[in-house]
Amino acid sequence: MVRFSIILLLLFVTVRTTVAQTQDRQLADQYFADGEYSKAAMYYEKLYDDTDQPFYLKRLALCRFNVEDYDEAESLLKKASRKMPNDLDLLITLGQAYKRQDDDRRAQKSWDDVIKGLGNNRSEIINVADKFTKIGEYQYALQAYEKGKKNIRGFYVFNSRIAELYGQMGQNDKMIELYLELIEKNPSYQRSVQVRLSRIIDFEEDQMIVETLRQELLKKVQDNPDKPIFAEMLIWMFLQKSDFYGAYAQAKALDRRLDENGSRLMSLANVARNNKKFDVARDALKYVVKKGKKNQYYDRALQEYLTVSKLHLDFDPQTATEKYSQLKEEYLDAIGQWSEPNLIASSSIELAEIEAYQLNDLDTAISRLENNLDNLTMSDRNVALTKIKLGDFLVVKNQVWDAALYYMQAEKAFKYDELGDRAKFKAAKIYYYTGEFDYARSQLDVLKGSTSKLIANDAMYLSNLINDNSIIDTTFKPMEMFARADLLLEQKKFSKAFATLDSIDAEYPGHSLQDDILMKRYELNKKMGEYQESAQNLEKLIKNYSDDILGDDAHFKLAELYEHHLNNEDRARELYQKILTDYSGSLYVVEARKRFRKLRGDSTTEEL
C-alpha cells in the first residue's frame, strides 16, 4: 500500500512538473514572438535549468543577443554550439555578436565555419543564405549558394536565388545573366523569371537595366535561333515597357522564323486591344488575315480585325463619318465571304451599330437584324443578342414598347443567365423612361441579386434613384423630366437632353437630383467628345457629393478621362488611388488597382 502511494505521488509530481513546463514554454515562446526578449529569457533560463535541452539554451542566447547583451550572448552561443555543433544558425548569430563588438576577425572566422559546415541539404543551404541576406552579409549568402551548387551538382535552381541576391546588391548585369541562364536550362521557369524581373525592374524608369536586359536578350536570340523562349522574353519585355510596336515586330519575326500559324499574333492583338492600343491590334490581326483563307485563324482574325477597327473609331466621338462608311464596306465584304451563321450574326450586330449610330441609317440597321432573325440558323445566344440590339435601335426610334417586347423575349430565353439579366434591366428601363416608376423599381429590385456585379450595381442605383425621387418627393415631375433626359441621351438627342436637364435646374433649384444631373451632363459631354466639359462636371460632383452613392463612379470615370483623353496621368493615378483608400467596397476597386499600378510603372500587362 505504501509503495502504491509513492507511485501515485511520483506520478502526480511528474504530471504537475510537465504541466508547469508546458505553460512556461508557451509563455516563453509568446514573449519571444512578441519581441519581449527580457521576459522570454527568464522562462527559457528556467526551462533550460529544469530540462537541460539545448533548444532552450539557444533561445536564451538569442534573447541575450537581441537585448544587446553581447558578452553574455557570446558565452551562451558558444556553449549552445558545443551542444549543437550542426546548428549553423548559432554560428551565424555568434558572428553577429562579434561584429557588434567590432571584432571583424572573429566574426569572419565564425561565418567561414558556417560555409565549411554546409553539406548537400538544399533546405539548410537556403536557410543559411537567407539568414546571411537578412543581416546584410551578401557575400556570405553568395558563398552559401555557390557551395550548394558545388555540393549538389547541376542544381541550377539556386540561380534564381543568386540572381535575386545580385539584384539586391545592385549588380544587375549578373542578375540578368543568371535569370536567362536559368530559363535556358529549364524553360518552365520562364513565368517565374518574368514575375521576379517585374518586381525588381521599373520598366519606365530603370532605363539602364532595361537596356541591359534588351541587349542580353538580343544576344541570346541571335546565339540560339532554335530556342524561341528568348524571343518570347523579348516580346514580354517590350510589353512591360508598353512598347507594343516593339512587341509586334518581335512576334511577327518569331512567327516567320518558326513558320507558325499566327496564334502568337492573335494573343498579342488581344493584349493590345485590352490596353487600347488599337493600331497594334489591327496590324497584328491584319498580318494573320494575310496568311490567307486556308489558315485556321483566318475567319476569326478577320472578325476580330473588324471589331478592333470599330472600337478604334468609336474611341474618338469626333471620328469622321467617311471612316465609318469605309468600315461598313469592309464588314459587308467579310460577311459576304462567310457561310457560318454565328460568325455572320456577331459581325452583323456590329455593322448594324455603325449604320444606326454613326451613319444615321436606323431603318437599314433594323432591317438587317430582322432579316438575320428570319434567315440565319443562329445559336440561341446570338438570337438573344440580336433581339437585345434590335430593342436598343427601337428605343432610339422611340418605339419603346416594341423594344420592350424584344427585351422580354431575350430575358425569357436566358432567364437564369447574365444575358437574361441584361435584357431584364433594359426592359425595366423602358418603364422608367415612361414614368411607370413602381413597376420599374420592382423589376430592378429583383436584379440587385444578379450574378453580374455591373448589372446588380446599375439596378441598385436606378432603383434607389427612383425611390429617393418619386416616393419620398412631393412631386413626380423632376424625376419624370430626368428620366426623359436619360431617354433623349439614349436616342442621341443631345441638345434636347441638355435642355431638359437645364429645365430641372431652373424649375427645381437645389433638388436632390443635382448629383445625378451632373453625372448625366458628364455622359452627354463625353458622347459629344467634349472631354474638358465632361471632366468639369465630375470635378464638381466630387467636390460637392463625394460621400453620396455616385462618389466612386465619379472618381473612376474622371480618372479614365484624364488617363485616355486629357493627357494627365498624374491626376488619373491620384484618382485611382483615391478609390482604393476612400471607397474600399467599390465595384471599381479591382480595376482601379490595376490601372493605378500600371500608371505607377508596375507590371500589369497580360500574359501572352
Side-chain angles (χ1 to χ4, degrees):
M1 186 66 179
V2 173
R3 185 177 179 183
F4 180 69
S5 298
I6 291 171
I7 293 172
L8 282 178
L9 180 61
L10 288 173
L11 283 172
F12 175 74
V13 171
T14 301
V15 170
R16 186 172 181 181
T17 301
T18 302
V19 170
Q21 287 176 357
T22 300
Q23 292 174 340
D24 287 345
R25 169 68 186 270
Q26 290 172 345
L27 283 168
D29 289 347
Q30 188 60 56
Y31 282 132
F32 191 87
D34 293 342
E36 297 187 56
Y37 300 112
S38 295
K39 293 179 180 179
M42 291 189 297
Y43 287 98
Y44 284 130
E45 187 170 20
K46 183 175 182 298
L47 285 163
Y48 179 65
D49 289 342
D50 291 342
T51 66
D52 200 35
Q53 288 187 19
F55 172 79
Y56 296 131
L57 180 61
K58 176 181 177 180
R59 278 294 177 92
L60 178 58
L62 292 174
C63 286
R64 297 301 184 207
F65 175 80
N66 283 308
V67 297
E68 301 181 4
D69 186 356
Y70 299 125
D71 288 336
E72 178 67 13
E74 177 188 341
S75 176
L76 290 168
L77 287 164
K78 286 180 177 178
K79 185 177 180 180
S81 288
R82 287 194 293 272
K83 288 181 174 290
M84 295 182 284
N86 295 322
D87 193 328
L88 300 179
D89 187 55
L90 283 169
L91 286 176
I92 296 174
T93 307
L94 180 59
Q96 282 183 276
Y98 288 136
K99 188 86 171 178
R100 298 285 175 87
Q101 298 174 83
D102 296 323
D103 192 341
D104 290 346
R105 184 186 60 80
R106 286 205 291 175
Q108 290 171 10
K109 171 66 170 61
S110 182
W111 292 334
D112 287 342
D113 288 343
V114 172
I115 301 302
K116 289 176 184 176
L118 283 173
N120 59 3
N121 185 310
R122 177 176 177 269
S123 296
E124 183 181 56
I125 292 163
I126 291 172
N127 288 336
V128 165
D130 283 348
K131 183 68 182 289
F132 277 127
T133 301
K134 286 175 183 176
I135 65 175
E137 294 295 334
Y138 298 125
Q139 290 300 330
Y140 277 101
L142 284 173
Q143 287 182 45
Y145 284 132
E146 292 299 336
K147 181 77 176 287
K149 289 178 71 173
K150 183 179 179 181
N151 290 352
I152 310 175
R153 190 171 294 179
F155 205 68
Y156 53 83
V157 74
F158 285 135
N159 278 22
S160 176
R161 292 179 172 274
I162 298 172
E164 192 170 353
L165 195 54
Y166 276 130
Q168 291 177 263
M169 297 168 68
Q171 298 184 29
N172 298 308
D173 52 342
K174 291 184 177 180
M175 173 190 73
I176 290 169
E177 179 184 341
L178 281 172
Y179 275 136
L180 297 186
E181 181 183 325
L182 176 63
I183 61 174
E184 183 174 6
K185 290 181 176 178
N186 191 336
S188 67
Y189 281 99
Q190 180 182 8
R191 180 57 185 158
S192 175
V193 168
Q194 289 174 347
V195 170
R196 289 175 182 271
L197 286 175
S198 67
R199 289 174 181 167
I200 295 168
I201 302 174
D202 183 331
F203 284 85
E204 297 297 327
E205 299 294 331
D206 300 336
Q207 295 301 318
M208 290 183 64
I209 306 177
V210 173
E211 180 58 22
T212 299
L213 178 60
R214 188 182 75 86
Q215 292 290 347
E216 287 298 319
L217 284 171
L218 284 172
K219 184 179 177 183
K220 289 286 188 181
V221 168
Q222 293 167 359
D223 293 345
N224 302 275
D226 58 328
K227 294 182 178 179
I229 193 167
F230 293 114
E232 291 171 357
M233 284 293 294
L234 199 56
I235 295 169
W236 170 83
M237 186 208 74
F238 280 121
L239 290 177
Q240 305 316 295
K241 291 175 59 182
S242 295
D243 182 355
F244 284 84
Y245 273 110
Y248 167 60
Q250 287 299 321
K252 186 168 60 172
L254 187 58
D255 180 271
R256 288 172 174 167
R257 187 190 313 154
L258 301 179
D259 193 23
E260 295 181 333
N261 54 17
S263 60
R264 199 181 303 274
L265 279 299
M266 297 288 288
S267 297
L268 175 62
N270 186 55
V271 176
R273 169 183 170 174
N274 290 341
N275 283 271
K276 293 184 169 53
K277 304 296 181 181
F278 300 118
D279 281 339
V280 177
R282 289 175 75 249
D283 287 347
L285 292 165
K286 193 171 185 178
Y287 171 85
V288 180
V289 170
K290 285 184 175 180
K291 283 180 172 287
K293 296 181 179 180
K294 292 183 179 180
N295 183 274
Q296 67 185 97
Y297 291 112
Y298 175 80
D299 287 338
R300 182 180 145 203
L302 180 56
Q303 180 191 28
E304 291 185 13
Y305 171 80
L306 294 170
T307 299
V308 170
S309 297
K310 180 178 178 297
L311 288 171
H312 195 187
L313 297 185
D314 290 345
F315 193 66
D316 181 3
Q318 297 179 341
T319 297
T321 303
E322 290 77 12
K323 292 186 177 181
Y324 280 107
S325 296
Q326 294 169 8
L327 184 57
K328 174 180 176 177
E329 294 305 315
E330 293 183 53
Y331 268 101
L332 289 172
D333 181 60
I335 290 171
Q337 299 179 35
W338 295 327
S339 58
E340 208 285 307
N342 291 304
L343 200 61
I344 296 171
S346 56
S347 287
S348 292
I349 291 173
E350 293 175 2
L351 174 56
E353 286 178 340
I354 292 174
E355 292 168 330
Y357 298 140
Q358 308 300 337
L359 302 179
N360 296 317
D361 194 355
L362 196 56
D363 290 338
T364 297
I366 291 172
S367 177
R368 180 179 304 284
L369 296 189
E370 287 176 340
N371 287 338
N372 279 359
L373 286 176
D374 292 338
N375 301 328
L376 293 179
T377 309
M378 296 181 282
S379 67
D380 290 342
R381 180 164 288 271
N382 270 327
V383 169
L385 287 168
T386 302
K387 288 182 176 181
I388 290 172
K389 188 53 62 179
L390 267 170
D392 293 346
F393 294 159
L394 291 170
V395 167
V396 176
K397 204 170 182 181
N398 213 33
Q399 296 177 5
V400 292
W401 295 114
D402 291 332
L405 182 60
Y406 277 120
Y407 292 147
M408 287 186 282
Q409 288 174 357
E411 189 236 327
K412 184 178 180 181
F414 287 88
K415 198 169 186 62
Y416 303 106
D417 186 274
E418 184 180 320
L419 184 60
D421 287 349
R422 192 197 315 173
K424 189 179 186 70
F425 179 73
K426 287 176 177 287
K429 287 194 79 172
I430 296 295
Y431 292 96
Y432 154 72
Y433 291 144
T434 55
E436 296 189 36
F437 297 131
D438 286 341
Y439 188 76
R441 191 177 64 254
S442 69
Q443 298 301 297
L444 293 166
D445 287 344
V446 173
L447 289 170
K448 290 178 183 179
S450 172
T451 54
S452 166
K453 289 185 178 180
L454 284 172
I455 293 173
N457 196 59
D458 288 345
M460 185 178 297
Y461 163 71
L462 190 53
S463 176
N464 290 339
L465 179 73
I466 293 170
N467 190 64
D468 293 345
N469 297 283
S470 64
I471 295 177
I472 299 173
D473 208 344
T474 56
T475 174
F476 291 173
K477 191 67 185 295
M479 188 63 215
E480 290 172 348
M481 294 169 71
F482 185 83
R484 186 160 62 251
D486 212 349
L487 176 59
L488 290 167
L489 169 61
E490 287 295 313
Q491 295 174 337
K492 296 189 180 297
K493 298 175 181 178
F494 301 134
S495 297
K496 290 184 178 180
F498 272 121
T500 304
L501 294 175
D502 289 342
S503 297
I504 301 174
D505 284 334
E507 296 178 33
Y508 304 93
H511 194 274
S512 59
L513 281 165
Q514 286 301 310
D515 55 337
D516 303 285
I517 291 171
L518 286 169
M519 181 62 77
K520 200 59 61 181
R521 288 184 186 279
Y522 145 78
E523 293 177 24
L524 284 162
N525 286 129
K526 187 169 184 284
K527 289 277 188 182
M528 298 169 69
E530 298 171 351
Y531 301 121
Q532 197 63 55
E533 293 83 351
S534 193
Q536 287 170 4
N537 286 308
L538 292 179
E539 292 281 14
K540 188 175 179 181
L541 196 160
I542 288 171
K543 180 180 178 182
N544 298 308
Y545 307 101
S546 61
D547 293 333
D548 290 348
I549 192 171
L550 292 174
D552 59 332
D553 294 76
H555 278 81
F556 188 81
K557 294 177 189 300
L558 184 58
E560 283 191 312
L561 283 176
Y562 280 121
E563 180 183 2
H564 297 302
H565 299 291
L566 296 176
N567 196 30
N568 189 342
E569 290 190 351
D570 288 341
R571 176 65 172 143
R573 186 170 62 248
E574 176 187 328
L575 288 161
Y576 286 135
Q577 186 174 27
K578 195 78 170 172
I579 293 171
L580 303 179
T581 56
D582 293 5
Y583 302 95
S584 57
S586 170
L587 182 69
Y588 299 110
V589 163
V590 174
E591 186 63 23
R593 181 179 291 111
K594 175 183 173 183
R595 296 190 185 189
F596 170 75
R597 288 175 174 171
K598 177 185 174 186
L599 292 175
R600 191 176 61 182
D602 297 358
S603 171
T604 56
T605 309
E606 297 163 58
E607 183 180 0
L608 284 179

